[in-house]
């Protein structure tokens, strides 16, 4: 399917750097179109390009949330004129656009260039060319409007893309085309050499913000322009490496450290991808005591899959926390041969209870310390589960998500019993040490994660 038809049916959303939930700010919505090298999708469907880089840079430096939607160019402008979105880019100035929007300082260079077949005798600067040559630009382009306004012999139905224009020129269906020099240069690199070029004029590109939007934010354009010059020179700062440290080293969180397999690696990759080059989350594994030491050290760290209660930070004053993004519980898991039902601490009296070394089991610490319950520390949840299966312990306290994964992956469906009553129910959060900017980004992504089809597909791979 041609890319322009595909883009006509989808809206590719990119959101980053939203404010915290307590002061959630709606993203500014900008539209653009598929126009290499300014804005286009790479092989992994990441939206990249020179104009994309500058716009993202400005919004990142301004700490303002942004949403970019990709669609056909005519529609991208129409939505702004109807005040359905806030702006469009990358666009050159014309009077029609000026009626409903205001253009920013230029974010990218552009030359309008005539492209003629090498075997053609036409001269784009001559009156003969204007009066006789059949010419065009692509649909919705400023160049096409200029051709019409200046009474060139223009196609009634211009093609949707520059690539189509080039094919029409080389097949002799057009005598000349007016196109963006950078876009055409990229196409001509791919093998087209039978054309010659004549520079027509310079028309730099900017972002058009609707007058309706600017009326509600009168200082916005000045602020935006103040960052543009820097961002043209530095469109995409290097990603900041963030340590993504975890003590949840059992499946499904960590399956293979060498191959980087597991849900924690998937979460790190997901958050890295969504940051659009701003952050790179690097997974490191530790025991719980070791992780506590790592948090105490200097530097930014993020701890996934945790809860404020487990870090004695119920009021969330010691660390920064995102909203919960994964609902879970702790189950009492025993053998089906000797099933254990939990009805409070006394129901475990005299039993050997296995669990993760260093874990805090709220409500059970006192009976454990008194000797009423015998605690057996394990290095992993899988080790605790295996101890139940081979009857080395009576019962284990295991996160329900982990236990369910074990049932499927290790064929334990008919060997384990889950007590009807859970030890506890909780939300898993991200813990962030001190970095408020990082916290804003992660909080924004957590709000989106719950409804993300991409993330749901990842969870399903682990039986969750």
């Amino acid at each position: 399917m041609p890319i322009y038809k595909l883009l006509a049916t989808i809206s590719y959303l990119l959101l980053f750097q939203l404010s915290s939930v307590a002061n959630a700010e709606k993203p500014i919505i900008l539209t653009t179109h598929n126009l290499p090298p300014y804005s286009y999708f790479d092989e992994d469907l990441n939206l990249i390009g020179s104009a994309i880089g500058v716009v993202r840079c400005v919004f990142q430096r301004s700490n303002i949330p942004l949403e970019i939607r990709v669609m056909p160019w005519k529609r991208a402008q129409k939505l702004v004129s109807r005040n359905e979105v806030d702006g469009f880019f990358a666009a050159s100035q014309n009077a029609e656009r000026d009626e409903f929007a205001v253009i920013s300082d230029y974010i990218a260079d552009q030359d309008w260039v005539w492209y003629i077949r090498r075997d053609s005798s036409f001269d784009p600067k001559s009156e003969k060319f204007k009066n006789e040559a059949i010419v065009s630009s692509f649909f919705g382009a400023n160049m096409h409007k200029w051709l019409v306004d200046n009474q060139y012999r223009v196609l009634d139905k211009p093609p949707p893309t520059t690539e189509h224009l080039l094919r029409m020129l080389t097949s002799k269906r057009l005598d000349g085309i007016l196109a963006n020099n950078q876009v055409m240069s990229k196409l001509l690199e791919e093998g087209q050499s039978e054309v010659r070029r004549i520079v027509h004029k310079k028309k730099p590109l900017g972002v058009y913000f609707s007058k309706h939007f600017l009326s509600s934010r009168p200082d916005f354009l000045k602020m935006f322009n103040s960052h543009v010059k820097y961002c043209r020179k530095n469109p995409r700062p290097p990603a900041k490496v963030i340590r993504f440290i975890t003590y949840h080293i059992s499946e499904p969180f960590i399956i293979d450290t060498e191959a980087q397999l597991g849900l924690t690696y998937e979460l790190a990759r997901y958050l890295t991808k969504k940051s659009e080059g701003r952050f790179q989350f690097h997974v490191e594994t530790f025991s719980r005591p070791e992780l506590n030491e790592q948090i105490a050290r200097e530097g930014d760290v993020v701890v996934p899959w945790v809860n404020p209660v487990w870090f004695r930070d119920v009021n969330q004053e010691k660390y920064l926390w995102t909203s919960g993004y994964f609902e879970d519980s702790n189950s009492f898991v025993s053998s089906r041969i000797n099933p254990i039902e939990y009805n409070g601490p006394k129901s475990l009296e005299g039993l050997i209870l296995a669990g993760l070394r260093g874990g805090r089991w709220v409500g059970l610490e006192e009976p454990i310390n008194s000797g009423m319950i015998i605690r057996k520390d394990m290095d992993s949840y899988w080790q605790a589960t295996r101890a139940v299966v081979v009857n080395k312990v009576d019962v284990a306290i295991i996160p329900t998500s982990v236990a369910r994964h074990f049932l499927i992956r290790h064929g334990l469906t008919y060997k384990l019993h889950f007590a009807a009553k859970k030890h506890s129910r909780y939300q898993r959060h991200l813990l962030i040490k001190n970095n408020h900017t990082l916290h804003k980004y992660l909080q924004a992504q957590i709000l989106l994660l719950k409804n993300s089809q991409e993330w749901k597909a990842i969870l399903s791979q682990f039986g969750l």
Side-chain angles (χ1 to χ4, degrees):
M1 177 184 292
I3 186 64
Y4 76 94
K5 289 186 178 178
L6 175 63
L7 294 177
T9 62
I10 67 171
S11 178
Y12 192 92
L13 309 182
L14 299 109
L15 296 97
F16 59 94
Q17 203 175 329
L18 299 177
S19 56
S20 65
V21 68
N23 187 30
E25 185 180 358
K26 290 184 178 180
I28 291 173
I29 302 173
L30 300 181
T31 55
T32 189
H33 60 145
N34 187 67
L35 190 70
Y38 299 107
S39 51
Y40 61 99
F41 294 100
D42 65 12
E43 294 179 354
D44 297 320
L45 289 182
N46 297 311
L47 185 60
I48 60 175
S50 57
I52 294 290
V54 174
V55 170
R56 284 182 182 149
C57 172
V58 171
F59 277 82
Q60 287 173 1
R61 286 172 60 84
S62 308
N63 290 319
I64 295 174
L66 169 67
E67 177 179 324
I68 300 176
R69 299 179 180 179
V70 181
M71 60 189 65
W73 189 225
K74 192 73 173 179
R75 182 166 179 260
Q77 299 169 69
K78 182 69 71 176
L79 292 182
V80 178
S81 69
R82 294 174 177 172
N83 297 322
E84 294 181 29
V85 298
D86 302 312
F88 64 94
F89 74 99
S92 58
Q93 183 274 334
N94 73 26
E96 182 177 325
R97 294 166 177 170
D98 290 343
E99 290 180 3
F100 60 88
V102 180
I103 196 168
S104 71
D105 287 351
Y106 81 93
I107 61 171
D109 293 317
Q110 175 192 227
D111 289 345
W112 285 8
V113 176
W114 282 109
Y115 292 89
I116 310 294
R117 291 189 306 278
R118 288 193 180 278
D119 60 4
S120 172
S121 61
F122 275 124
D123 177 3
K125 297 180 180 180
S126 68
E127 284 296 316
K128 180 180 179 181
F129 177 82
K130 182 176 181 180
N131 295 328
E132 297 181 11
I134 305 299
V135 300
S136 185
S137 187
F138 69 86
F139 185 64
N142 192 11
M143 288 170 279
H144 182 261
K145 185 178 186 306
W146 183 88
L147 290 172
V148 173
D149 291 346
N150 285 272
Q151 300 180 339
Y152 281 79
R153 297 187 65 191
V154 183
L155 288 180
D156 292 334
K157 295 182 179 180
T161 69
T162 305
E163 186 176 4
H164 283 80
L165 281 171
L166 183 57
R167 287 203 296 264
M168 293 179 73
L169 177 67
T170 55
S171 63
K172 300 185 178 181
R173 294 165 62 193
L174 288 172
D175 298 309
I177 59 177
L178 189 59
N180 178 302
N181 64 310
Q182 293 193 35
V183 176
M184 279 293 289
S185 293
K186 193 168 182 67
L187 292 173
L188 292 172
E189 285 174 4
E190 299 172 2
Q192 298 286 353
S193 59
E194 61 267 34
V195 299
R196 54 191 175 94
R197 62 193 298 275
I198 299 95
V199 176
H200 178 66
K201 65 164 71 174
K202 291 187 178 296
K203 289 286 286 188
L205 304 173
V207 180
Y208 262 106
F209 293 100
S210 78
K211 292 181 178 179
H212 176 77
F213 165 74
L214 293 176
S215 67
S216 64
R217 304 182 70 160
D219 296 326
F220 176 85
L221 188 58
K222 181 178 180 181
M223 178 281 303
F224 183 92
N225 288 338
S226 70
H227 295 292
V228 166
K229 185 175 181 180
Y230 171 87
C231 289
R232 284 203 308 269
K233 296 179 180 179
N234 308 278
R236 193 166 188 175
K240 182 176 183 179
V241 177
I242 303 295
R243 299 178 67 211
F244 207 63
I245 65 176
T246 183
Y247 65 94
H248 292 291
I249 57 176
S250 293
E251 303 173 19
F253 302 108
I254 301 291
I255 295 175
D256 188 325
T257 54
E258 185 173 344
Q260 297 190 354
L261 297 176
L263 194 54
T264 301
Y265 290 107
E266 294 294 339
L267 180 59
R269 283 190 281 265
Y270 179 92
L271 294 172
T272 296
K273 176 183 175 181
K274 294 299 180 181
S275 78
E276 300 295 336
R278 193 174 177 208
F279 300 113
Q280 180 180 346
F281 295 92
H282 178 70
V283 176
E284 300 176 35
T285 59
F286 300 95
S287 67
R288 175 60 194 268
E290 290 172 337
L291 183 131
N292 291 340
E293 293 177 2
Q294 293 295 319
I295 294 176
R297 294 181 180 180
E298 292 293 326
D300 297 328
V301 296
V302 175
V303 186
W305 314 114
V306 289
N307 187 280
V309 173
W310 308 340
F311 288 79
R312 304 181 189 274
D313 193 22
V314 177
N315 295 324
Q316 301 188 17
E317 296 175 344
K318 188 176 181 180
Y319 303 109
L320 299 172
W321 296 87
T322 65
S323 302
Y325 62 91
F326 190 88
E327 187 172 351
D328 210 344
S329 58
N330 282 339
S331 289
F332 290 98
V333 181
S334 55
S335 169
R336 279 207 170 189
I337 299 173
N338 184 28
I340 304 295
E341 288 296 337
Y342 177 69
N343 294 301
K346 286 193 69 67
S347 63
L348 302 178
E349 186 172 0
L351 300 182
I352 301 175
L353 175 63
L356 192 66
R357 188 183 309 279
R360 291 186 66 232
W361 305 337
V362 178
L364 298 177
E365 293 179 343
E366 185 175 331
I368 288 172
N369 292 335
S370 70
M372 187 178 88
I373 301 171
I374 303 169
R375 174 171 177 156
K376 185 73 172 178
D377 283 329
M378 299 290 179
D379 291 327
S380 69
Y381 291 123
W382 173 239
Q383 188 180 31
T385 304
R386 286 287 301 165
V388 169
V389 173
V390 300
N391 296 313
K392 287 187 176 181
V393 300
D394 298 298
V395 62
I397 185 168
I398 308 287
T400 305
S401 59
V402 175
R404 285 177 178 169
H405 175 77
F406 289 160
L407 290 180
I408 297 172
R409 183 172 174 83
H410 299 288
L412 300 177
T413 302
Y414 300 104
K415 295 183 178 181
L416 297 179
H417 171 77
F418 287 74
K421 185 177 180 180
K422 307 294 185 186
H423 167 257
S424 57
R425 296 181 183 273
Y426 51 86
Q427 289 279 345
R428 294 188 182 273
H429 306 243
L430 296 177
L431 177 158
I432 302 100
K433 181 184 174 185
N434 300 330
N435 189 324
H436 288 271
T437 300
L438 178 60
H439 174 255
K440 284 184 178 182
Y441 165 71
L442 291 172
Q443 174 61 29
Q445 289 304 320
I446 292 309
L447 294 176
L448 299 169
L449 192 70
K450 298 176 182 179
N451 296 316
S452 167
Q453 294 303 314
E454 179 182 355
W455 180 244
K456 289 177 180 177
I458 292 171
L459 289 177
S460 68
Q461 296 173 13
F462 297 90
L464 302 174

